[in-house]
Amino acid sequence: FYKMLSSCSKVGDPRPGQPYKGGTFCAFLPGNREGQKTAILLKKAFEHGLTFQIKSCDGEERVTWGLIPHKTSWHGGKARNGYPDAQYLHEVGAVL
């Protein structure tokens, strides 16, 4: 789980100084060795501010997923950001 608090955007964000709405985000990884390696890389990406971005949605700024793909469901397949997706760990590893 990622919990992003509401705050004000910084220099480099779409509208510096404007408030934005946070949110709670959930992502899933398999509990195997490759999933654990991916979790470490995702943590580093988060620590460097690469996991989320601020976007304008319906007239308000809000935190959204960034360019790093995350699986947000155990079901639904690739089309719904879920599993099964045999290529996900390879693809996210290449992005990271």
Side-chain angles (χ1 to χ4, degrees), residues 22-39:
T24 301
F25 300 83
C26 187
F28 300 94
L29 290 169
N32 58 24
R33 187 175 186 182
E34 196 172 357
Q36 292 170 350
K37 279 177 51 178
T38 301

Side-chain angles (χ1 to χ4, degrees), residues 50-82:
L50 302 173
T51 306
F52 297 98
Q53 58 190 355
I54 299 170
K55 284 190 177 177
S56 186
C57 297
D58 298 326
E60 73 176 359
E61 306 296 310
R62 60 181 30 213
V63 176
T64 62
W65 289 109
L67 299 177
I68 299 170
H70 283 74
K71 290 297 179 185
T72 57
S73 175
W74 282 118
H75 309 286
K78 186 173 186 169
R80 294 192 171 172
N81 295 324

Side-chain angles (χ1 to χ4, degrees), residues 4-10 17-23 54 61 63:
M4 303 300 295
L5 302 176
S6 297
S7 187
C8 284
S9 56
K10 300 178 270 183
Q18 295 297 310
Y20 63 84
K21 184 176 181 179
I54 299 170
E61 306 296 310
V63 176

